[in-house]
Amino acid sequence: MRHPLRTWASGTLIRNTLWMLGGFGFRLGVQFATFVVVARVLKPEAFGVFSGCLAVVSVLVPFATWGTGNILIKHTARTPAVFSAYWGAALLTALLSGLALIAGAVGIGFLLFSPHLALTVMAPIAVADLLGTRCADLASQAFQAQQKLSGTSVIWSAVSLLRLAGAIALWWLPLEKTAALWSFFYMLSGLGSGLFGVFWVRALWGRAHWSLKPLRGQWREGFYFAISLSAQGAYNDIDKTLLLRFGTGDTAGAYAACYRLVDAGFTPIKALLASTYPRFFQEGAKGLGAALQFSRKLLPWSCGYGIVAWVGMAVCAPLFPFILGRDYAMTPSMIPWLAPLLLIRTVHFLAADALTGSGYQGHRSAAQVGVAALNLALNLWWIPRYGWLGAAWSSLVSDGALAVGLWVLAWFLRKRHGEAPV
């Protein structure tokens, strides 16, 4: 009998994980360079303005594709011949939804901030993330669906390289360094990466079939994917918007910088999750028990990394002001409060992907929406009283509740359907 780890570590999975880890590693280096340049050039106040506007757009981002990228992966992983139909449907959805959501994002900017910020900062961010980068994301999911993770890595690397080019332009050009100027370069990089991804997929697998018919009867599932990602964006980022709304740009900028550092530390887990995502659909076709068994094989290794990354991030916290600049002197105090998220998110993502692969995306989405509501309530309560510390507390409580809730939910669903214990 083969050892379970050897069974899991098939050639394709190992190769895809290494591709994703290499791609994420390269992307991490480029993103970190971009982050450092932008943070140093803009200073905390302007960086906080950009981050606050970006957080609002991030909540809308999943509705630009309506979960069609996940549906593309699901059906192609099981029946490769349907790729062109679902690829075309996904692109058409992104185009129609993206344009409508851009107008909605600008309107929200008018309500939350000011007409000036809505037009000069929110609008270009919306064009970048609701249209350009979403097309790049769909292209990366097309490669993921074909289990060609090398292409996924290249596309994500291209997104990062174009943003680095924009950051260099921001630093080099003799113009006033404002959030609006960076938003403009951010928009150009998003549109460029989208065009690159779409044309590359077409060159490899031919023209897309431009029709929404393949999605008939699947909009509900697409909504579950979209609301899940939107809720994830809300409980990850809404604290930055509220810090900008109730606090100062300096504090919001320093806090957003710390969050970016923690996200960077999560890179190896993102690589593992991306490479195993199609496998969850394959295991989930056998039942939730099989998908959970697959999650449990990954859990010790991913949690081990999460603990090491948590400790490493906390130990290295005093070094960050030297990297970002003395304007970010608050970061060493913030990092130890946010670093535990590296472990907590590892735990809840593995349970979440098991639910998704087994056809329980609606249950996953409901749990995430509930946690997003909890996060919003805690932020509204704690940020006016405790500032950034309240925002950090709300993240820890919300993500912790999600980790426990998803595993309990998976156990309950498996037991309800009478599946064997895993």
Side-chain angles (χ1 to χ4, degrees):
M1 183 176 179
R2 299 183 69 188
H3 189 277
L5 181 58
R6 291 179 183 174
T7 302
W8 164 73
S10 63
T12 300
L13 188 54
I14 288 291
R15 184 170 60 253
N16 283 338
T17 301
L18 290 175
W19 264 112
M20 293 309 298
L21 189 57
F24 269 116
F26 176 78
R27 188 186 183 197
L28 173 61
V30 175
Q31 284 182 329
F32 188 74
T34 304
F35 163 62
V36 170
V37 171
V38 173
R40 291 183 72 98
V41 170
L42 289 185
K43 307 299 182 185
E45 184 173 0
F47 188 72
V49 169
F50 174 81
S51 299
C53 293
L54 181 64
V56 174
V57 174
S58 71
V59 177
L60 301 176
V61 159
F63 295 102
T65 55
W66 204 260
T68 51
N70 300 82
I71 294 174
L72 169 68
I73 294 173
K74 172 186 172 181
H75 287 284
T76 304
R78 296 175 178 175
T79 312
V82 302
F83 171 78
S84 294
Y86 282 97
W87 166 239
L91 280 180
L92 187 56
T93 302
L95 180 62
L96 297 175
S97 299
L99 292 174
L101 288 170
I102 289 168
V106 174
I108 293 172
F110 271 83
L111 294 175
L112 285 182
F113 305 119
S114 67
H116 177 73
L117 281 183
L119 294 174
T120 62
V121 179
M122 186 78 83
I125 291 175
V127 172
D129 280 358
L130 297 174
L131 189 60
T133 312
R134 292 290 62 74
C135 288
D137 193 38
L138 285 177
S140 74
Q141 289 176 306
F143 281 96
Q144 198 175 356
Q146 300 281 5
Q147 299 201 43
K148 305 288 186 182
L149 276 298
S150 56
T152 301
S153 296
V154 170
I155 290 174
W156 285 349
S157 297
V159 173
S160 300
L161 284 170
L162 287 170
R163 285 189 182 161
L164 178 60
I168 293 172
L170 174 71
W171 167 74
W172 180 73
L173 290 176
L175 300 171
E176 184 181 1
K177 315 305 181 184
T178 63
L181 182 61
W182 170 234
S183 299
F184 174 73
F185 289 129
Y186 186 86
M187 177 183 69
L188 294 182
S189 68
L191 292 174
S193 62
L195 289 172
F196 167 72
V198 169
F199 280 107
W200 190 17
V201 171
R202 179 184 176 184
L204 291 178
W205 292 297
R207 293 187 178 185
H209 295 164
W210 292 88
S211 172
L212 296 178
K213 288 183 180 179
L215 299 176
R216 185 177 298 165
Q218 300 190 65
W219 293 109
R220 180 178 177 181
E221 183 180 13
F223 173 75
Y224 287 152
F225 282 118
I227 197 68
S228 172
L229 292 171
S230 181
Q232 181 180 318
Y235 60 70
N236 282 348
D237 294 325
I238 200 63
D239 49 359
K240 302 168 190 64
T241 301
L242 293 176
L243 275 173
L244 180 62
R245 186 73 173 81
F246 294 119
T248 64
D250 288 355
T251 302
Y255 183 83
C258 290
Y259 231 96
R260 292 287 184 92
L261 291 167
V262 171
D263 282 342
F266 199 64
T267 295
I269 302 301
K270 287 181 180 178
L272 178 65
L273 293 169
S275 61
T276 56
Y277 192 58
R279 177 74 177 270
F280 274 107
F281 286 109
Q282 294 168 353
E283 295 296 328
K286 306 171 190 175
L288 180 56
L292 286 173
Q293 189 173 30
F294 183 54
S295 286
R296 289 184 61 182
K297 292 173 186 176
L298 303 175
L299 197 59
W301 305 94
S302 55
C303 285
Y305 169 79
I307 293 171
V308 171
W310 171 4
V311 174
M313 187 74 67
V315 169
C316 295
L319 300 177
F320 294 132
F322 294 99
I323 299 171
L324 301 177
R326 60 184 180 181
D327 294 307
Y328 293 86
M330 298 175 66
T331 53
S333 301
M334 296 176 172
I335 284 289
W337 286 100
L338 294 174
L341 294 173
L342 290 165
L343 175 61
I344 297 171
R345 290 183 177 174
T346 294
V347 174
H348 77 60
F349 267 113
L350 288 173
D353 282 355
L355 289 168
T356 295
S358 306
Y360 292 105
Q361 179 63 38
H363 294 77
R364 172 183 178 171
S365 300
Q368 290 181 293
V369 169
V371 167
L374 172 65
N375 182 265
L376 177 60
L378 292 176
N379 276 312
L380 289 171
W381 179 18
W382 286 342
I383 286 178
R385 290 171 173 79
Y386 306 108
W388 68 264
L389 192 57
W393 291 345
S394 69
S395 290
L396 292 173
V397 171
S398 301
D399 278 86
L402 186 61
V404 174
L406 286 175
W407 279 100
V408 170
L409 176 62
W411 174 85
F412 173 78
L413 290 170
R414 180 197 59 76
K415 186 175 181 181
R416 188 179 71 178
H417 290 281
E419 295 189 35
V422 294

